[in-house]
């Protein structure tokens, strides 16, 4: 694949383009095979986003690539692929975990205790039936987020401490001396690895993500779609 991409870059832009573009963005450019086939423009991956260039490599094009015949948003599909997470491989031992009902429907959430949208989403989750929620605490908002995160994680019942704070504003108790809070650093490293740029970041069992907080109705639709047989909505 790497050799195929290199030939693509030389064919479309010439040898000088890659060096010119590399000076503008961080290393790690990528063009998918489908994008190479379906457009004469270069498709460039920047983190977990897609941009395009003209045939000469002079202009950067921001926007979405639409297949009008198939009525598909190719950029949206590609970004979803880039953002997909191996749900089964997530380190659930490092997550605050709680469930409603049977817990057969699973959701992972990256959240900061001082995130207002996270609190809104946590309230929406309380309306969901038969869910298990794994919350990976990542103190990224500054202020007392690191201290609050540690206090919640180190609580004897961290799920209760998390819900008490997020739903009712009850401050967690100070953590005991010697508490092992290594999970917090591991969660931060994981969030960087999978390009979590804000909270809440929601991951469904199929590896797809939901950008930001959603209400219970929209979340239920997404969960039901996961459970539906292939080819049915």
């Amino acid at each position: 694949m790497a050799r195929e991409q290199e030939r693509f870059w030389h064919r479309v832009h010439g040898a000088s383009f890659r060096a010119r573009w590399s000076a503008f963005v961080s290393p790690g450019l990528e063009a998918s095979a489908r994008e190479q086939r379906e457009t004469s423009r270069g498709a460039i991956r920047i983190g977990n986003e897609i941009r395009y260039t003209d045939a000469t490599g002079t202009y950067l094009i921001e926007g979405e690539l639409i297949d009008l015949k198939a009525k598909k948003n190719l950029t949206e599909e590609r970004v979803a692929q880039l953002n997909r997470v191996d749900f089964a491989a997530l380190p659930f031992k490092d997550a605050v975990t709680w469930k409603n009902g049977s817990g057969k429907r699973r959701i992972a959430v990256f959240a900061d205790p001082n995130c207002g949208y996270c609190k809104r989403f946590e309230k929406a989750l309380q309306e969901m039936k038969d869910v298990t929620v794994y919350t990976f605490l990542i103190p990224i908002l500054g202020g007392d987020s690191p201290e609050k995160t540690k206090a919640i994680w180190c609580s004897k019942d961290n799920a209760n401490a998390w819900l008490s704070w997020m739903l009712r504003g009850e401050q967690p108790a100070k953590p005991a001396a010697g508490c092992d809070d290594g999970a917090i650093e591991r969660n931060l490293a994981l969030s960087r690895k999978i390009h979590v740029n804000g909270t809440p970041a929601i991951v469904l069992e199929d590896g797809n993500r939901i950008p930001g907080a959603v209400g219970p109705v929209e979340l239920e639709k997404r969960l039901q779609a996961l459970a539906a047989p292939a080819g049915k909505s």
Side-chain angles (χ1 to χ4, degrees):
M1 182 62 184
R3 191 171 294 178
E4 178 185 348
Q5 287 183 203
E6 194 66 34
R7 287 198 297 267
F8 167 75
W9 286 102
H10 280 267
R11 186 176 69 252
V12 177
H13 300 303
S16 65
F17 173 78
R18 195 177 185 102
R20 193 161 68 242
W21 181 252
S22 296
F24 184 68
V25 297
S26 58
L29 308 184
E30 178 182 323
S32 75
R34 184 177 184 185
E35 287 157 341
Q36 292 173 23
R37 291 194 306 268
E38 297 183 358
T39 177
S40 62
R41 297 178 175 84
I44 302 170
R45 174 182 177 178
I46 308 175
N48 58 353
E49 297 182 348
I50 293 292
R51 297 291 184 270
Y52 302 96
T53 69
D54 67 298
T56 66
T58 302
Y59 300 100
L60 175 66
I61 303 168
E62 292 192 10
E64 297 179 332
L65 182 64
I66 309 296
D67 184 332
L68 296 177
K69 185 176 181 180
K71 297 181 180 180
K72 288 185 177 181
N73 186 325
L74 302 182
T75 303
E76 188 177 80
E77 288 184 358
R78 181 62 175 143
V79 169
Q81 291 175 352
L82 293 176
N83 286 337
R84 193 164 290 135
V85 174
D86 185 350
F87 190 91
L90 290 173
F92 299 117
K93 64 180 177 61
D94 290 339
V96 171
T97 306
W98 61 270
K99 74 175 184 177
N100 277 340
S102 68
K104 64 181 180 180
R105 306 189 298 177
R106 301 188 299 165
I107 305 168
V109 185
F110 289 79
D112 183 298
N114 284 336
C115 165
Y117 289 106
C118 298
K119 292 178 180 179
R120 183 184 304 174
F121 182 62
E122 198 68 50
K123 291 178 181 178
L125 284 173
Q126 306 311 303
E127 300 182 33
M128 309 304 298
K129 296 179 180 180
D130 300 325
V131 295
T132 297
V133 181
Y134 303 97
T135 302
F136 294 89
L137 303 180
I138 52 171
I140 62 174
L141 295 182
D144 68 346
S145 283
E147 292 79 9
K148 198 168 288 174
T149 298
K150 182 176 181 179
I152 291 170
W153 176 254
C154 292
S155 296
K156 186 175 181 180
D157 183 347
N158 56 28
N160 181 64
W162 171 253
L163 294 174
S164 294
W165 165 248
M166 298 299 280
L167 301 178
R168 297 181 292 278
E170 298 175 7
Q171 291 282 348
K174 290 184 178 181
C179 167
D180 180 5
D181 60 351
I184 299 171
E185 285 303 319
R186 291 193 293 271
N187 289 345
L188 286 168
L190 175 61
S191 70
R192 291 189 291 268
K193 180 180 178 181
I194 64 174
H195 302 289
V196 171
N197 299 317
T199 54
I202 305 156
V203 182
L204 304 177
E205 277 195 271
D206 64 352
N208 284 315
R209 292 203 251 191
I210 300 176
V214 294
V217 174
E218 176 61 25
L219 182 57
E220 183 62 33
K221 287 181 181 178
R222 296 293 294 267
L223 293 177
Q224 288 185 9
L226 281 181
K232 295 184 179 181
S233 58

